[in-house]
Amino acid sequence: MRILLIEDESELAAWLARGLARHGGFMVDWADDAELAERRLAVEEFDAIILDLGLPGMDGHEFLRRLRGRDDRCPVLVLTARDSLTERIGTLHEGADDFMHKPFAIGELEARLNALIRRSRGREHPRWILGDLVLDIGSQRFLHRDEPLNLSPREYAALKVLMQKAGEPVTKQQILDRISPDDTAINLEAIEVLVHRLRKKLAGVDVQIVTLRGMGYCLEPTHGAPD
């Protein structure tokens, strides 16, 4: 799962990124101010946002108001050094989903993030279905005829983004951003190998990954597809 961390303290941000990767397997992208975060959100997708309210320039309150004003429903967990009831109520009204008061334990942060993401997905799409392929959001598994597909973490992440945008083109860069945004060991050419492996594992499943030249890939049902 991919998290956008908006925090201006570099040491705290590095600690959070390491801890969340180690404890929960999260991929954490860091933005040190709200303006940069807005630019990233305009072109990238995240499963949740961790937001420090005390940011330079545009503060966390203004960021939240603008985020919800665009009808962006990405779950937001707020970090704050101030723990007054008035601030908690006001920030919830602005669009926050949960709070953590500094200092905090990384284990609790990881648990709260998982709960936020689980609730967000469960409300909207407890299961995604295409053909006879099912993505169970709760268990984070792909199923075919009620049997789980044996996928590596990268294969799962790639198939998930294709499933999210089923019927639409998904570029190699979009897949790369989802599976390993900061890993320089994997490049765009490696996405072709990953898609090749996925096609093998989807043999017998009523979906196919179609190559759209110059555009990327598209996941679509095979039923009724042209020969």
Side-chain angles (χ1 to χ4, degrees):
M1 290 179 284
R2 193 173 177 201
I3 306 299
L4 178 60
L5 170 62
I6 311 172
E7 168 62 62
D8 63 312
E9 296 182 23
S10 58
E11 290 186 6
L12 175 58
W15 176 76
L16 283 170
R18 288 194 304 270
L20 289 172
R22 183 169 61 251
H23 286 270
F26 292 99
M27 293 186 294
V28 179
D29 291 64
W30 175 43
D32 61 1
D33 64 57
E35 289 84 358
L36 174 58
E38 284 194 331
R39 292 196 295 271
R40 296 201 64 167
L41 285 164
V43 296
E44 300 176 72
E45 296 179 4
F46 297 91
D47 296 293
I49 296 168
I50 299 173
L51 174 66
D52 180 20
L53 291 178
L55 297 170
M58 185 198 309
D59 68 10
H61 296 285
E62 178 64 16
F63 172 84
L64 260 178
R65 288 191 289 268
R66 290 166 60 126
L67 182 79
R68 299 312 187 205
R70 298 191 300 272
D71 198 31
D72 189 324
R73 301 180 186 183
C74 187
V76 177
L77 188 152
V78 165
L79 302 179
T80 179
R82 302 183 297 274
D83 194 30
S84 72
L85 177 61
T86 300
E87 180 169 70
R88 290 201 303 273
I89 291 172
T91 310
L92 285 168
H93 281 310
E94 290 165 352
D97 296 282
D98 199 0
F99 281 88
M100 289 212 62
H101 179 252
K102 298 178 182 177
F104 51 82
I106 196 72
E108 183 181 359
L109 177 61
E110 180 265 332
R112 286 177 178 269
L113 277 175
N114 274 318
L116 276 182
I117 294 168
R118 188 167 59 246
R119 289 199 301 269
S120 174
R121 291 171 173 174
R123 280 198 300 267
E124 298 179 1
H125 303 288
R127 282 191 163 197
W128 301 344
I129 301 173
L130 183 67
D132 57 4
L133 179 66
V134 175
L135 172 56
D136 187 298
I137 295 299
S139 65
Q140 298 186 47
R141 295 188 302 174
F142 280 95
L143 307 172
H144 177 234
R145 298 175 183 170
D146 294 324
E147 291 295 323
L149 293 182
N150 183 20
L151 302 176
S152 71
R154 284 177 176 174
E155 289 166 349
Y156 171 83
L159 188 54
K160 181 182 175 183
V161 70
L162 288 166
M163 187 82 155
Q164 284 177 310
K165 298 181 177 293
E168 303 175 14
V170 179
T171 67
K172 292 179 185 178
Q173 186 62 54
Q174 286 175 308
I175 296 173
L176 181 61
D177 287 344
R178 289 299 263 180
I179 66 172
S180 192
D182 299 316
D183 188 351
T184 56
I186 184 169
N187 53 33
L188 292 178
E189 287 70 27
I191 299 301
E192 297 177 10
V193 177
L194 188 63
V195 169
H196 177 71
R197 293 205 308 262
L198 277 174
R199 283 173 171 153
K200 283 187 174 182
K201 293 187 176 184
L202 291 173
V205 183
D206 191 24
V207 299
Q208 61 183 347
I209 302 174
V210 178
T211 299
L212 304 174
R213 296 198 179 279
M215 300 177 70
Y217 302 100
C218 176
L219 184 70
E220 59 184 34
T222 55
H223 180 70
D227 296 333

